[in-house]
Amino acid sequence: MSFLGIDVGGTKVALRLGPAVPGAPAAPDTVVRWPAPGDAEADMRALADAVRRACAGQGRPVTAVGVAVPATLDTAGRVRGWPNRPSWHGLDLRARIAAMVSGAPVHTADDGDLAALAEADAAGCPDLVHIGVGTGIGGGIVLGGRLCPGPDRGSCEVGHVVVDRMGERCDCGRRGCVQSVASGRTVLRRAGERAGREVTFGELRQAWTQGEAWAVAPVTDGAMAVAAAAVSLAELVHPRLVTIGGGFADGMPGYVEEVARWTRELGRTPGPDPAVRPAALGGLSSLDGAVLLARAAAGDRALTVDAPVDAAVPVDAFAA
């Protein structure tokens, strides 16, 4: 059997063909940046080409496909809405991907939920909160080894936890969501406003590490908002571990330490005190989760985490 994982992102799509033999190394990831926004058909052509390249040279067909998606889908797999790529509205994503893989069963799930499951699996921790900081904010909760609230009850929208009721308007229409403060897109925009020009991620990263005020202020504001969301979620579900991942967090040196610092500042005694640490899978948590989803769909494994917590989760390096 071989399993194809697809992680649909706001600026790119990543694919990984899981091994046919358990324990064998996976093929190298295929990563493709989306064409300029505005043309869903161009996106689908780019995705089809990426699927062909990811599966090239394989001697057997793909058994199942797992797709991690940030967009809101209906039960049939049709896109109901996605602010990052509005042209996808109404796109029958599940059917389009199935046509690219010779009719192999295609299963979709929220990218944040799958990232949380993959991080819990990597850490051997069945009680975990994951927050992914990328173009937007995603994440998920795993409790007792299972996704919470569960695939049949919708996704865990960590990005829309309200951290400032008087804050900026989020693209969901509400004010003060963590995404409206901490997403990579928002932080870059705010940094550009302070710098008086448009800035790239590389420029922001360099200025952040050098302590330049125009970069430090928006990055710190974002980290504080992520910490507020982490503390609020910890009060509700008492995880043992909080992981911070996503492309923005993974590429910004010291970002997770900053989130951990503010998490401690916002904590209370006595209260939940989860470890806070970088995602073990870096910015690829959702892709790993998509492969897990494909494997579960093919009956190769259960979509749960059941490793013993005490033996699996080490003391957090940022807790001191």
Side-chain angles (χ1 to χ4, degrees):
M1 294 188 289
S2 59
F3 315 104
L4 180 63
I6 302 176
D7 179 23
V8 175
T11 58
K12 63 183 183 298
V13 60
L15 302 88
R16 178 180 300 160
L17 193 66
V21 179
D29 296 343
T30 300
V31 180
V32 173
R33 297 192 70 83
W34 294 121
D39 188 346
E41 289 305 316
D43 291 343
M44 290 300 99
R45 289 193 294 271
L47 178 57
D49 181 65
V51 169
R52 283 193 294 271
R53 284 194 280 142
C55 298
Q58 299 300 312
R60 65 189 73 196
V62 172
T63 306
V65 182
V67 187
V69 288
T72 302
L73 306 183
D74 63 19
T75 55
R78 190 179 297 273
V79 177
R80 293 175 55 198
W82 186 19
N84 283 334
R85 307 200 70 81
S87 67
W88 283 36
H89 182 78
L91 180 70
D92 193 344
L93 182 63
R94 193 177 297 162
R96 295 294 292 270
I97 293 175
M100 299 173 191
V101 288
S102 302
V106 176
H107 296 262
T108 57
D110 179 76
D111 58 343
D113 284 347
L114 291 179
L117 191 72
E119 286 297 329
D121 188 64
C125 179
D127 298 294
L128 172 145
V129 166
H130 174 73
I131 301 177
V133 185
T135 304
I137 301 289
I141 299 171
V142 177
L143 290 180
R146 298 181 180 276
L147 286 171
C148 175
D152 58 334
R153 297 179 60 196
S155 59
C156 180
E157 295 289 352
V158 171
H160 296 294
V161 172
V162 175
V163 294
D164 180 3
R165 68 183 184 88
M166 301 299 290
E168 291 188 23
R169 193 171 298 279
C170 181
D171 56 21
C172 74
R174 190 165 57 200
R175 288 191 179 275
C177 296
V178 63
Q179 181 161 286
S180 72
V181 182
S183 71
R185 181 173 50 202
T186 298
V187 173
L188 278 170
R189 175 180 58 78
R190 287 182 164 186
E193 290 170 356
R194 287 176 173 269
R197 60 182 176 82
E198 186 173 331
V199 299
T200 66
F201 178 77
E203 291 171 330
L204 178 69
R205 179 178 55 211
Q206 181 176 355
W208 157 257
T209 57
Q210 293 174 348
E212 296 187 36
W214 65 264
V216 170
V219 174
T220 301
D221 285 348
M224 291 172 66
V226 171
V231 169
S232 298
L233 292 170
E235 291 284 1
L236 295 175
V237 302
H238 290 254
R240 180 174 174 86
L241 177 63
V242 175
T243 54
I244 310 296
F248 184 90
D250 189 50
M252 191 66 65
Y255 183 87
V256 178
E257 291 92 332
E258 189 72 4
V259 173
R261 180 171 75 87
W262 286 107
T263 300
R264 293 193 298 274
E265 288 285 332
L266 292 170
R268 65 182 179 86
T269 303
D273 187 27
V276 178
R277 71 183 189 205
L281 303 170
L284 299 175
S285 305
S286 296
L287 182 56
D288 281 88
V291 175
L292 290 179
L293 179 63
R295 291 177 58 191
D300 186 61
R301 62 155 288 160
L303 204 61
T304 58
V305 177
D306 57 7
V309 177
D310 292 336
V313 182
V315 175
D316 181 59
F318 305 136

